Amino acid sequence: MYEDVELEIIDINSEGQGVAKLSGKVIFVPGAITGDKISARIVGEKKNFSTAKMTGIIKASPDRINPICSHFGKCGSCQLQHLKYEAQLKYKQQLVTKNLQRVGKFDITALPLNPIEASDKQFGYRNKAQLPFGHQHKVPVLGYFHARSHEIVNVHQCHLHHPDFTEIVLSVRQAVIDNKIPIYLPEKHVGLLRHLIIRESSFTKELQICLVINSYTFPYSQLFSKNFEALNSRLSEYQITSALTNTNMAKTPHIFGDKNKKFWGNEFISEKIGDHFFRVAPNTFMQVNLSPAIKLYNHLKEKIPDNCQTILDLYCGIGTISLFIADKAQQVIGVEANKQAVKDAKNNALNNVQTNCKFIHGKAEDIHNQYSPEVIIVDPPRKGLETKVLRSIKIFSPKLLFYISCNPATLARDLRDLTANCGYKITEITPFDLFPQTTHVECFVALSKQ
Ligand code: SAH
């Protein structure tokens, strides 16, 4: 049994845990922040680091505040609610800096790194919720995964969303319990309900609900339709206008399968981004915090010269960026791997009468050299750019390259390759806080061909 030790927290790691040192060894302490003096018990020892459980705060950091959510610490959705917002921004700026230094091996003093752009909302900003169904002591639960396990925290509030989301979660959970609707059991691969997805449109105030199910049929559509109708009279600002099932019969941690089926209202909700309207489906990508995301899109647009011939928008999703920047070029070509997203991108271009945008279903890795774009935009998922994509960029050799990233580690890795091997120079890096209360940070990077 270990004794309590006294620790001074000197940093916060990329998972939001406090970092201390004891006899030269690094210790990670969940719940602690830079500037805290704490008592803690070592609970795990690895070769290069230990983990400790905080047992008390001896002197609180000046950056420490009381988290507003009662689930904070257990729920894995937020990591930084106990940190003042200014300190969150500083933390994210440092996260970007450290990755550029350690992973990218850049001399940070020589990089054009701007201060992070804050989010106008610090709570209630998320337009999408994804909650797994599960059991606790044989009772159905619906919530978010625990911070450090696959247990589900049976939430009764979440401050990252509009309060109407909570109404829906409480009501769906109750309907499941009252009607004994079977929950999916991953270990046995039986049962029905896997996930609840809620999406909102900030512009039309529509809500979309999707139940991900382990079945091609859904015997509860009438029950839920009635439930949603009744719910609408209780919601304060939004209205449910679309309800679907998504069938996922695979043994997989991935949330979605391929098949969506509407059972109530409309198939899509509609969101406005810039001057364009976009159809929103449960299983396509859209930035979760739109207001600062639009700031980022505007920032990108300002950097693109007028009258370009061809712009390539890789990882284009539902065509958000393509349409946003369409009037900068003769043609914009979007490439996207998600079939539903490509279909929606084509429809979005059509519905917005944006005739110069083309969308191709396929992987960014597989694009061929049939275009000569002056500008390439890449906005990949967390794993960053595949070697094949980096090779293609080198061959295409556009004058300007814009990289939008949600993972500073893979961004730093790719920037090393783009600058060392592909002849690019970084002209700007600007972090954007699209995810307050979490450890996530978005970055905008502009590069130009030397
Ligand atoms: N630029 C869009 C979407 C960015 S999210 C926006 O701002 O809304 C990243 C997108 O990349 C997702 O839509 C995902 O489906 C897609 N994607 C993931 N892997 C891909 C690949 N290998 N090739 C092309 N698209 C991919």
Side-chain angles (χ1 to χ4, degrees):
M1 196 63 196
Y2 292 103
E3 304 261 303
D4 271 15
V5 287
E6 229 177 80
L7 297 174
E8 305 257 0
I9 305 298
I10 50 171
D11 203 355
I12 304 176
N13 71 11
S14 60
E15 276 150 56
Q17 302 165 339
V19 180
K21 272 193 178 164
L22 193 66
S23 319
K25 193 169 183 184
V26 172
I27 305 178
F28 297 133
V29 196
I33 58 170
T34 313
D36 278 342
K37 191 172 174 190
I38 61 162
S39 57
R41 192 162 304 151
I42 308 288
V43 290
E45 295 237 36
K46 293 256 163 68
K47 193 166 158 249
N48 296 325
F49 67 92
S50 306
T51 44
K53 187 175 169 14
M54 188 158 67
T55 51
I57 297 179
I58 298 164
K59 189 165 183 283
S61 161
D63 292 333
R64 181 174 275 283
I65 49 172
N66 281 330
I68 66 169
C69 182
S70 60
H71 301 301
F72 183 69
K74 285 200 196 90
C75 176
S77 298
C78 295
Q79 300 80 34
L80 302 177
Q81 268 192 33
H82 56 335
L83 195 60
K84 276 184 188 162
Y85 189 59
E86 302 75 54
Q88 290 186 24
L89 293 174
K90 195 172 149 202
Y91 160 77
K92 292 185 191 195
Q93 186 81 17
Q94 280 172 356
L95 206 61
V96 174
T97 306
K98 276 187 224 160
N99 276 291
L100 289 166
Q101 282 173 321
R102 290 179 193 167
V103 183
K105 310 275 180 240
F106 288 101
D107 168 10
I108 201 74
T109 57
L111 280 182
L113 174 61
N114 289 327
I116 186 166
E117 293 279 338
S119 170
D120 40 1
K121 281 190 195 167
Q122 290 152 27
F123 287 99
Y125 64 81
R126 265 191 80 97
N127 61 22
K128 174 175 156 184
Q130 305 191 135
L131 304 96
F133 288 97
H135 292 98
Q136 251 159 33
H137 313 296
K138 301 202 169 141
V139 179
V141 291
L142 173 62
Y144 295 104
F145 286 119
H146 194 280
R148 282 166 298 281
S149 78
H150 248 58
E151 204 180 298
I152 293 168
V153 180
N154 201 25
V155 293
H156 53 78
Q157 55 177 202
C158 174
H159 297 273
L160 296 192
H161 301 110
H162 189 277
D164 282 347
F165 277 52
T166 301
E167 285 289 328
I168 296 171
V169 172
L170 298 180
S171 164
V172 168
R173 186 194 294 142
Q174 200 55 50
V176 169
I177 293 171
D178 292 347
N179 297 283
K180 299 191 170 52
I181 305 177
I183 305 288
Y184 176 69
L185 294 168
E187 347 39 279
K188 295 189 181 151
H189 194 48
V190 294
L192 185 67
L193 296 176
R194 296 176 70 131
H195 270 85
L196 169 72
I197 317 298
I198 311 171
R199 296 191 88 163
E200 59 152 68
S201 161
S202 59
F203 187 78
T204 60
K205 303 291 174 197
E206 295 170 300
L207 284 170
Q208 179 175 66
I209 297 183
C210 174
L211 291 157
V212 181
I213 55 173
N214 176 43
S215 169
Y216 285 108
T217 55
F218 188 54
Y220 301 98
S221 49
Q222 274 201 343
L223 187 149
F224 277 107
S225 301
K226 275 201 195 126
N227 187 287
F228 298 152
E229 234 164 75
L231 248 176
N232 269 344
S233 62
R234 301 209 300 274
L235 298 181
S236 65
E237 200 179 341
Y238 289 80
Q239 287 285 286
I240 306 162
T241 60
S242 166
L244 308 89
T245 54
N246 170 276
T247 293
N248 183 0
M249 310 244 318
K251 272 190 182 177
T252 166
H254 293 300
I255 295 179
F256 291 106
D258 284 339
K259 195 167 166 44
N260 291 344
K261 195 170 171 202
K262 178 199 83 172
F263 66 86
W264 190 70
N266 306 319
E267 203 176 339
F268 301 98
I269 57 172
S270 177
E271 179 60 286
K272 193 173 182 208
I273 298 176
D275 298 328
H276 298 99
F277 284 90
F278 293 86
R279 48 158 69 172
V280 178
N283 49 346
T284 54
F285 179 89
M286 192 169 67
Q287 287 288 359
V288 293
N289 184 5
L290 267 190
S291 169
I294 291 173
K295 246 197 230 167
L296 191 159
Y297 295 156
N298 270 313
H299 192 79
L300 162 71
K301 190 170 179 180
E302 279 166 22
K303 309 282 157 182
I304 301 176
D306 292 330
N307 306 316
C308 292
Q309 178 56 242
T310 303
I311 298 177
L312 204 52
D313 177 18
L314 300 182
Y315 311 88
C316 69
I318 57 171
T320 333
I321 292 177
S322 298
L323 267 63
F324 202 92
I325 53 127
D327 54 10
K328 288 279 184 174
Q330 296 270 311
Q331 62 168 348
V332 181
I333 295 158
V335 179
E336 165 62 46
N338 175 337
K339 210 168 160 185
Q340 169 85 42
V342 178
K343 198 173 146 198
D344 293 348
K346 287 179 180 169
N347 267 292
N348 290 331
L350 210 66
N351 295 341
N352 288 284
V353 204
Q354 199 72 59
T355 51
N356 64 338
C357 295
K358 263 198 226 143
F359 296 98
I360 298 170
H361 177 219
K363 291 193 166 173
E365 299 85 293
D366 299 335
I367 39 162
H368 298 297
N369 199 1
Q370 73 245 54
Y371 312 107
S372 46
E374 297 117 286
V375 176
I376 294 185
I377 300 160
V378 293
D379 184 5
R382 289 187 64 75
K383 66 177 178 182
L385 301 176
E386 302 277 345
T387 315
K388 267 180 146 183
V389 178
L390 288 160
R391 218 179 298 146
S392 297
I393 291 172
K394 196 173 174 184
I395 295 167
F396 282 130
S397 196
K399 272 195 240 123
L400 297 174
L401 174 66
F402 298 101
Y403 192 143
I404 298 169
S405 157
C406 56
N407 183 346
T410 54
L411 172 70
R413 178 202 66 197
D414 294 344
L415 289 180
R416 166 53 44 207
D417 192 57
L418 287 163
T419 51
N421 307 320
C422 305
Y424 283 90
K425 183 176 178 238
I426 300 170
T427 56
E428 180 195 330
I429 306 176
T430 308
F432 281 77
D433 186 20
L434 303 191
F435 316 103
Q437 319 309 331
T438 79
T439 50
H440 296 287
V441 57
E442 194 88 357
C443 281
F444 167 86
V445 182
L447 299 112
S448 66
K449 186 89 194 174
Q450 288 309 284

